[in-house]
Amino acid sequence: MSGVMRRLRIAVIGAGAGGIATVIRLRERGDPEIIVFEKASEPGGTWRDNTYPGITCDVPSHLYRFSFAPNPDWSSKYSPGPEIQAYMRRVAADFGVEPVIRYNSEVQSAAWRDGAWEITTTQGPQGRFDAVITAVGILHHPALPDIEGLEDFAGTAFHTARWDHSVPLEGKRIGVIGTGSTAIQVVPAIVDRAQKVSLFQRTAQWILPEPNLPIPEEKRAAYRADPSLLAGQYDHLAQAFNGAFCAAVAGEAPEVYERMAQACRDNLATVADPELRARLTPDYRMGCKRLIVSSLFYPAIQRPDAELVTEGIARIEAGGVRTQDGRLHELDLLVLATGFDAHHPFGDMRIAGRSGRELSETWAKGNVTYRGVTVPDLPNWFMLGGPNSPLGNFSFLMTAERQLGYVLQLVDLLATGAAREITPRPEPTAAWTQALKDRLAGSIWASGCRSWYFDPHGNVATYPWSYETFEAEMKAPVLEDYALSA
């Protein structure tokens, strides 16, 4: 990068997909000193933590990858988790990311003092940094259900993100609590090994049928021989998935939305038993909750060794789950497919900005950001996958790369000496926040369901516009919306 006046010291928090991409792209633009703080002992983020049976990405393989690291060898249309984790590790190794990662170093505090961020991890104080780029993700703090008696269960119980592979499944009576994407993947993967699987459903889901077909070796060989084919597939999927699929959910492609809704209804119609079909029928519009992609769940839940339980849970006892009708569902293993706390991405990390006020206090009634990337009172603090980033059925790698491109333009200002501190102004932040609320109030996500998109205060924390709008916002920062201190 020509004209560099400062060699920045940059902290990156998290060695998942966002953190890996950040290191690679930062190096392309100069020679900053980069340190990645990772709480675990290896990279990969959600693909490292989630190893439950049946784990599969619900974004097509050739779209769920870094733009700069095409992979011709994906085995299937939707990649299994271990294959994605192997890809993450390979990219980190191939691009020399590993040497700058400090593993087993969870950030405990970050405080802005005298023009720099002072960071402390579980390994102690780490010094001062000119900027912080967070890539912590939102799916890493398991949410445990608030059900009476959970600690009384005499069998084995664990969250899907902490799957204990030493526990045998064969011949066991297994209960699964939750009906989100994870549970819909787990049930088909374990039902033929268990004596019985009981799925405790609070809310039915819309499920889009999509067979996960293997990618033939001849196709993979063609991709290896001609990289332009891979590039073309990436562009095609980006348009089909982000330009149509996600625009439909955002209310900007009604014809596509209706085709998707009809496909879900047709899929539901494959459930033969009308009583079971009725209990699997959602009472809200498709897209209000994150749309689930599966061709395996309905066949699995119709098996004689599977049971859908829709009666509410009264409590958990030593022998199993007792529902409100008084029935005890006797279990040997209890799987909690209850998702994550998506609205406290920094967990117990203490973050104090220029004013000294902690971010947890500022965000006590809801997370407020400027375009999901920056936060007032936090100079040179940049987020990938921050609050109100695109969620839903987008490719996170694509959205993170777009945000990273935006962030790097701000980092350039620091590197060239054009600014020492960059903070979003309160007025543009308030205006963007209000625009979010206005748009979300009439969106599909606020149409009558409860989902993990809602924070504890009733705010919807997703991105309400199309992917094209998001890309346009991330193309370049509006510098007038920032306070730049030289």
Side-chain angles (χ1 to χ4, degrees):
M1 184 169 58
S2 61
V4 172
M5 297 177 64
R6 301 173 62 196
R7 184 172 190 258
L8 300 176
R9 191 167 193 249
I10 300 176
V12 179
I13 304 178
I20 292 169
T22 297
V23 174
I24 294 168
R25 293 291 309 281
L26 278 171
R27 284 176 171 167
E28 292 173 355
R29 304 172 78 86
D31 185 33
E33 179 185 352
I34 308 166
I35 299 177
V36 181
F37 297 107
E38 169 54 53
K39 66 181 180 180
S41 58
E42 61 177 296
T46 191
W47 303 106
R48 173 200 61 228
D49 294 345
N50 288 273
T51 62
Y52 59 81
I55 182 171
T56 307
C57 187
D58 59 4
V59 175
S61 301
H62 285 296
L63 186 60
Y64 196 86
R65 51 91 158 171
F66 297 112
S67 62
F68 52 82
N71 177 25
D73 291 312
W74 294 119
S75 65
S76 52
K77 184 174 182 178
Y78 295 92
S79 300
E83 199 169 327
I84 300 174
Q85 172 63 353
Y87 170 76
M88 295 293 170
R89 291 187 64 98
R90 185 167 65 252
V91 171
D94 290 349
F95 285 84
V97 175
E98 291 261 20
V100 302
I101 303 175
R102 295 185 181 176
Y103 292 115
N104 303 308
S105 297
E106 184 171 6
V107 176
Q108 294 179 314
S109 68
W112 180 263
R113 296 191 182 97
D114 300 322
W117 284 101
E118 296 181 358
I119 290 182
T120 299
T121 73
T122 47
Q123 303 300 321
Q126 301 298 317
R128 293 167 61 80
F129 295 84
D130 299 294
V132 175
I133 301 176
T134 71
V136 297
I138 60 171
L139 304 181
H140 60 116
H141 297 299
L144 299 179
D146 183 17
I147 302 175
E148 179 187 351
L150 181 58
E151 67 282 357
D152 297 329
F153 182 58
T156 301
F158 49 71
H159 191 276
T160 50
R162 303 292 184 265
W163 195 278
D164 186 348
H165 292 276
S166 69
V167 177
L169 305 179
E170 286 70 21
K172 297 295 179 67
R173 299 165 299 177
I174 304 175
V176 178
I177 297 178
T179 49
S181 296
T182 297
I184 299 305
Q185 292 182 350
V186 166
V187 170
I190 66 174
V191 68
D192 60 348
R193 299 166 62 185
Q195 175 184 325
K196 182 181 180 181
V197 172
S198 301
L199 177 64
F200 295 89
Q201 172 185 284
R202 184 171 60 180
T203 308
Q205 300 279 356
W206 288 112
I207 302 176
L208 188 71
E210 185 72 358
N212 191 14
L213 301 175
I215 299 175
E217 171 55 33
E218 53 268 27
K219 176 66 75 173
R220 285 183 269 169
Y223 286 144
R224 288 192 292 268
D226 186 357
S228 68
L229 291 176
L230 266 183
Q233 180 72 342
Y234 182 81
D235 292 341
H236 165 73
L237 288 170
Q239 177 55 39
F241 212 71
N242 293 331
F245 185 99
C246 296
V249 178
E252 300 185 12
E255 302 86 359
V256 178
Y257 177 90
E258 182 51 37
R259 289 200 299 272
M260 291 164 52
Q262 188 59 51
C264 289
R265 291 191 290 265
D266 292 343
N267 191 31
L268 182 61
T270 64
V271 178
D273 178 19
E275 188 272 337
L276 177 60
R277 186 168 64 247
R279 291 192 291 133
L280 287 167
T281 301
D283 61 359
Y284 54 88
R285 291 174 57 197
M286 186 210 73
C288 187
K289 290 176 174 284
R290 181 184 175 116
L291 187 59
I292 295 177
V293 178
S294 176
S295 290
L296 302 177
F297 175 69
Y298 287 150
I301 201 64
Q302 294 181 81
R303 290 174 50 135
D305 46 4
E307 180 183 8
L308 180 73
V309 182
T310 54
E311 190 73 27
I313 296 175
R315 61 185 178 276
I316 296 173
E317 302 176 2
V321 173
R322 190 172 297 277
T323 47
Q324 291 175 354
D325 57 359
R327 178 185 171 191
L328 177 64
H329 301 260
E330 296 182 336
L331 302 171
D332 305 301
L333 172 62
L334 186 59
V335 175
L336 307 175
T338 47
F340 300 86
D341 179 358
H343 305 290
H344 298 89
F346 301 118
D348 295 328
M349 189 190 310
R350 298 182 64 183
I351 303 165
R354 183 188 287 111
S355 69
R357 188 184 193 194
E358 293 200 5
L359 184 62
S360 59
E361 182 182 351
T362 303
W363 282 2
K365 295 183 179 180
N367 303 342
V368 175
T369 74
Y370 176 71
R371 301 191 186 278
V373 177
T374 53
V375 184
D377 194 46
L378 301 187
N380 306 352
W381 180 276
F382 310 114
M383 300 179 295
L384 307 184
N388 287 107
S389 295
L391 298 172
N393 296 85
F394 292 100
S395 167
F396 173 75
L397 274 66
M398 287 193 74
T399 62
E401 284 196 54
R402 298 299 183 272
Q403 290 177 326
L404 181 56
Y406 179 101
V407 166
L408 292 176
Q409 294 177 66
L410 297 174
V411 171
D412 284 350
L413 299 177
L414 302 175
T416 59
R420 287 274 178 173
E421 299 179 14
I422 301 173
T423 316
R425 297 180 185 275
E427 296 81 3
T429 300
W432 192 75
T433 301
Q434 189 60 52
L436 274 174
K437 291 183 177 180
D438 292 345
R439 175 76 176 194
L440 286 164
S443 71
I444 187 72
W445 300 285
S447 64
C449 73
R450 290 291 302 173
S451 73
W452 62 271
Y453 295 155
F454 283 86
D455 72 11
H457 311 285
N459 304 304
V460 183
T462 188
Y463 187 82
W465 296 286
S466 70
Y467 193 79
E468 286 75 12
T469 301
F470 170 72
E471 284 190 310
E473 286 189 347
M474 292 295 104
K475 188 173 183 179
V478 179
L479 294 185
E480 293 80 4
D481 290 351
Y482 284 91
L484 307 178
S485 301

